[in-house]
Amino acid sequence: MRTLTYFVAVSLDGYVCAPDGSFDFFPVGDANGDLGDNGEFHVNEYPELLPTPARNALGVDVPNKHFDTMLQGRGSYQVGLDEGMTSPYGHMREYVFSRTLPRGIDPNVTVVATDPLETVRELKKEDGPLGICMVGGPSIAGLLLPEIDELMIKRYPVVAGHGKPFFEGAAFDPAEFERVESRVFEKGADYTLFRRRNAVAT
């Protein structure tokens, strides 16, 4: 059984984006190839999470270390689409959950208009040494919360005051996670990996 890991940036008060879905209040270094003081960690430990254009610009040409499949909701995918990228993670299989995107938007992208949970459960049953990653998207994260095995939280020293939480629309259903590892960076940001208790890492 493969694992699903949710990578998400968050403010000190627990918001992943503004009420309108924007996230430009996070410090420079979280997008667009400018990796800030966590860049070396990102490149060395999770190179597959760099969008393909950023990998090309940085000369990153290495095998995927942790994941071979990327999941996104429509809002997260739209960020790349607005920049002309129909396959922002072309070095992985890409799945986008949307009822409005055309199915043939890109040969590398599978658009899923049906039940996201059913799709994820089928993906997790596949054989293979690498896992599944999801980025951004508090709405799709809320739907997929029962199947999320790991959380890689990128916490920034910013207070948003208001916005969208980690798992927008999720039901009240407490689940225990345990801290696996953490890394603090010079400018105050930190990465922490949490794993659902009883989940098995791939």
Side-chain angles (χ1 to χ4, degrees):
M1 181 72 75
R2 301 202 299 160
T3 59
L4 172 59
T5 303
Y6 179 31
F7 267 73
V8 59
V10 64
S11 65
L12 290 177
D13 49 347
Y15 296 109
V16 302
C17 60
D20 64 358
S22 63
F23 50 87
D24 54 2
F25 60 89
F26 286 122
V28 173
D30 192 45
N32 301 321
D34 179 2
L35 303 178
D37 67 341
N38 59 19
E40 185 176 350
F41 171 79
H42 207 137
V43 170
N44 292 337
E45 297 300 324
Y46 292 95
E48 60 266 53
L49 296 189
L50 293 171
T52 302
R55 287 167 60 97
N56 293 340
L58 293 168
V60 176
D61 183 18
V62 296
N64 297 337
K65 294 183 67 172
H66 302 279
F67 312 107
D68 62 14
T69 304
M70 172 62 75
L71 310 182
Q72 292 183 274
R74 172 62 190 267
S76 178
Y77 180 70
Q78 189 66 44
V79 174
L81 199 58
D82 288 343
E83 298 296 324
M85 292 185 288
T86 56
S87 179
Y89 296 94
H91 49 284
M92 291 192 278
R93 293 188 303 167
E94 295 180 81
Y95 288 77
V96 178
F97 299 104
S98 173
R99 294 187 178 91
T100 56
L101 280 175
R103 288 183 178 271
I105 193 166
D106 189 281
N108 192 53
V109 174
T110 300
V111 176
V112 179
T114 54
D115 183 9
L117 276 171
E118 180 182 352
T119 299
V120 168
R121 286 168 180 155
E122 290 302 313
L123 289 172
K124 290 177 72 172
K125 290 177 185 177
E126 294 177 344
D127 292 327
L130 300 181
I132 305 161
C133 180
M134 179 172 65
V135 294
S139 297
I140 195 64
L143 288 172
L144 295 179
L145 178 55
E147 291 297 325
I148 292 175
D149 303 293
E150 295 180 339
L151 300 168
M152 176 59 96
I153 297 171
K154 301 179 289 183
R155 186 175 59 170
Y156 288 97
V158 173
V159 172
H162 187 53
K164 295 185 179 183
F166 277 75
F167 302 103
E168 189 174 43
F172 180 76
D173 185 18
E176 289 190 39
F177 284 72
E178 57 186 339
R179 184 192 301 267
V180 176
E181 60 185 22
S182 187
R183 177 79 65 90
V184 179
F185 297 96
E186 182 180 349
K187 294 181 180 178
D190 63 77
Y191 277 58
T192 304
L193 177 64
F194 293 92
R195 183 171 298 134
R196 189 185 291 267
R197 291 196 182 275
N198 304 319
V200 179
T202 54

